[in-house]
Amino acid sequence: MLDFHDTIAEQFDQAVHQQVFPGAVWATGSADAVLDFGACGLADPTNPTSAMRSDMLFDVASLTKILAVWTVIGTIWHDGMLPLDDPLATIWPEVVDYPIGQVTARQLLTHTAGLPLRSNLKNLYGTDPQSIRDGILREQLHRPPGEAVEYTNRAGLILGFLAEHLTTTPLDQLATERIWKPLGMTSTRFGPLPATDRSRCAPTELDSDTGTRLKGVVHDYSARLLGGVCGSAGVFSTLPDLTRFLQHLLSLGSDPDRAGFGPAWLAESLQVHTGDLTPPWGLFWFPPPGQEVVYVHYGFTGTGMWLSPKQDRWAVMLTNKLYYSSDRTPIMNVRGVFRAAIFG
């Protein structure tokens, strides 16, 4: 295991030196154990005392789609309340007269719903949260459902709204009560973070309005418009919490009811549902290029989670690469080395 650790540590130290990210934490393991973990760099390059620690809070960006939406949707599906292949209009009266009503939950989960790709909610719908919600649900489709795979944050937003409709419960409360609390994920929550937690939060990008780094406030502007709670971004979490989460996913067979869904939801999700369309997608998870047994999801801030039940292996890396740049190429190269070292 020493060579395994050294390979990743060397790559991460090099990434810090090259300013791919200020710092990072990572871990990998099985259903029963954490096999290795590490930390490198600083949370804030301007503060030499801000060494990355295992309990550091990160804005996990689009990992919100997994930690809050995919999990909650899984509990609703598990309870028989959400047929994946029925048009949304059959279970959601609010969208009967809108184009989104013809879309299915499976198409949202596989990014094949034909949703508009534009994400600048303020320019499209203004700043009122209700107006934004109404605008998203009423928008014309970009193309016919099922025609192409096109990743868009709108899928997470709409599924979050759907979960709230079906349960009559806010998304943050659903995720807390159904997923995070039962799994002991005591540091995972939607922002903005309370002042007591911000001191251990890794800062992200510079806020042009205030001239200061965002710290404990979600970087995603659309999520901020919606109060910090939505289906596309907004969650903050730690390495220990994500370790608990990923270990639980690999042990669902022995503990199927702890977080409200069992191994059937995981098995349904970790398989390709997009046929010959490219890139291939499962249900909110997708296989990296050239992989068949590993599934992953990334976050724009520099985060990622990998899962392979067939290899009994999970992995997670958390960084605040957005501190330096929104360019995705450098962090993708690091992720590729990380994945290859762990999963082959």
Side-chain angles (χ1 to χ4, degrees), residues 24-60:
V25 297
W26 62 274
T28 182
S30 64
D32 300 321
V34 176
L35 300 177
D36 207 358
F37 65 93
C40 66
L42 302 173
D44 184 348
T46 67
N47 181 3
T49 66
S50 64
M52 280 291 185
R53 309 188 312 267
S54 63
D55 67 340
M56 189 73 66
L57 278 155
F58 289 84
D59 176 349
V60 301

Side-chain angles (χ1 to χ4, degrees), residues 22-108:
V25 297
W26 62 274
T28 182
S30 64
D32 300 321
V34 176
L35 300 177
D36 207 358
F37 65 93
C40 66
L42 302 173
D44 184 348
T46 67
N47 181 3
T49 66
S50 64
M52 280 291 185
R53 309 188 312 267
S54 63
D55 67 340
M56 189 73 66
L57 278 155
F58 289 84
D59 176 349
V60 301
S62 281
L63 294 191
T64 298
K65 295 180 179 70
I66 297 295
L67 297 172
V69 176
W70 174 78
T71 52
V72 166
I73 289 294
T75 68
I76 298 171
W77 177 83
H78 182 83
D79 291 342
M81 297 173 59
L82 179 58
L84 294 183
D85 296 306
D86 289 358
L88 296 184
T90 64
I91 55 173
W92 197 358
E94 183 180 0
V95 303
V96 167
D97 296 324
Y98 304 144
I100 192 65
Q102 66 184 285
V103 168
T104 70
R106 191 185 305 275
Q107 289 168 337
L108 290 171

Side-chain angles (χ1 to χ4, degrees), residues 230-303:
C230 67
S232 60
V235 169
F236 290 80
S237 192
T238 64
L239 188 68
D241 275 12
L242 298 187
T243 293
R244 293 184 185 97
F245 175 72
L246 293 166
Q247 282 188 295
H248 175 71
L249 294 185
L250 290 183
S251 61
L252 279 170
S254 61
D255 194 7
D257 299 320
R258 189 173 169 200
F261 60 85
W265 178 242
L266 187 66
E268 183 76 13
S269 300
L270 301 190
Q271 59 178 294
V272 173
H273 291 267
T274 49
D276 294 331
L277 299 177
T278 56
W281 275 83
L283 303 185
F284 261 17
W285 296 84
F286 67 94
Q291 287 288 329
E292 296 181 356
V293 300
V294 180
Y295 279 73
V296 65
H297 206 291
Y298 301 129
F300 189 65
T301 49
T303 58

Side-chain angles (χ1 to χ4, degrees), residues 8-27:
I8 296 174
E10 180 180 353
Q11 177 69 20
F12 277 30
D13 286 340
Q14 183 178 351
V16 170
H17 178 72
Q18 295 174 344
Q19 294 191 341
V20 177
F21 43 67
V25 297
W26 62 274

Side-chain angles (χ1 to χ4, degrees), residues 51-294:
M52 280 291 185
R53 309 188 312 267
S54 63
D55 67 340
M56 189 73 66
L57 278 155
F58 289 84
D59 176 349
V60 301
S62 281
L63 294 191
T64 298
K65 295 180 179 70
I66 297 295
L67 297 172
V69 176
W70 174 78
T71 52
V72 166
I73 289 294
T75 68
I76 298 171
W77 177 83
H78 182 83
D79 291 342
M81 297 173 59
L82 179 58
L84 294 183
D85 296 306
D86 289 358
L88 296 184
T90 64
I91 55 173
W92 197 358
E94 183 180 0
V95 303
V96 167
D97 296 324
Y98 304 144
I100 192 65
Q102 66 184 285
V103 168
T104 70
R106 191 185 305 275
Q107 289 168 337
L108 290 171
L109 287 161
T110 56
H111 295 284
T112 58
L115 301 176
L117 303 183
R118 304 184 307 278
S119 59
N120 194 331
L121 303 186
K122 179 180 179 181
N123 287 350
L124 291 169
Y125 313 121
T127 59
D128 175 66
Q130 186 62 47
S131 297
I132 292 171
R133 182 185 184 279
D134 292 344
I136 290 170
L137 295 182
R138 295 171 182 173
E139 187 71 86
Q140 295 294 316
L141 298 180
H142 167 62
R143 64 168 76 240
E147 186 176 271
V149 177
E150 295 176 309
Y151 182 89
T152 170
N153 279 334
R154 287 173 180 261
L157 290 169
I158 294 168
L159 284 167
F161 296 149
L162 175 62
E164 292 179 330
H165 161 69
L166 292 175
T167 64
T168 66
T169 306
L171 181 61
D172 54 344
Q173 185 178 339
L174 283 170
T176 300
E177 294 179 352
R178 296 191 177 199
I179 312 298
W180 304 337
K181 187 175 180 180
L183 296 184
M185 299 168 64
T186 56
S187 293
T188 302
R189 56 161 293 166
F190 279 96
L193 295 180
T196 53
D197 286 335
R198 291 186 186 183
S199 61
R200 62 184 181 104
C201 184
T204 57
E205 64 188 352
L206 193 67
D207 183 1
S208 59
D209 293 333
T210 64
T212 59
R213 293 277 171 187
L214 293 173
K215 188 174 181 179
V217 177
V218 61
H219 88 284
D220 185 280
Y221 186 65
S222 296
R224 276 185 274 162
L225 285 175
L226 292 168
V229 178
C230 67
S232 60
V235 169
F236 290 80
S237 192
T238 64
L239 188 68
D241 275 12
L242 298 187
T243 293
R244 293 184 185 97
F245 175 72
L246 293 166
Q247 282 188 295
H248 175 71
L249 294 185
L250 290 183
S251 61
L252 279 170
S254 61
D255 194 7
D257 299 320
R258 189 173 169 200
F261 60 85
W265 178 242
L266 187 66
E268 183 76 13
S269 300
L270 301 190
Q271 59 178 294
V272 173
H273 291 267
T274 49
D276 294 331
L277 299 177
T278 56
W281 275 83
L283 303 185
F284 261 17
W285 296 84
F286 67 94
Q291 287 288 329
E292 296 181 356
V293 300
V294 180

Side-chain angles (χ1 to χ4, degrees), residues 29-31 35 250 291-295 306-314 339-340 342-344:
S30 64
L35 300 177
L250 290 183
Q291 287 288 329
E292 296 181 356
V293 300
V294 180
Y295 279 73
W306 293 256
L307 194 65
S308 177
K310 290 186 178 180
Q311 295 179 325
D312 186 28
R313 186 64 56 87
W314 56 266
R339 181 206 32 92
I342 294 171
F343 297 98

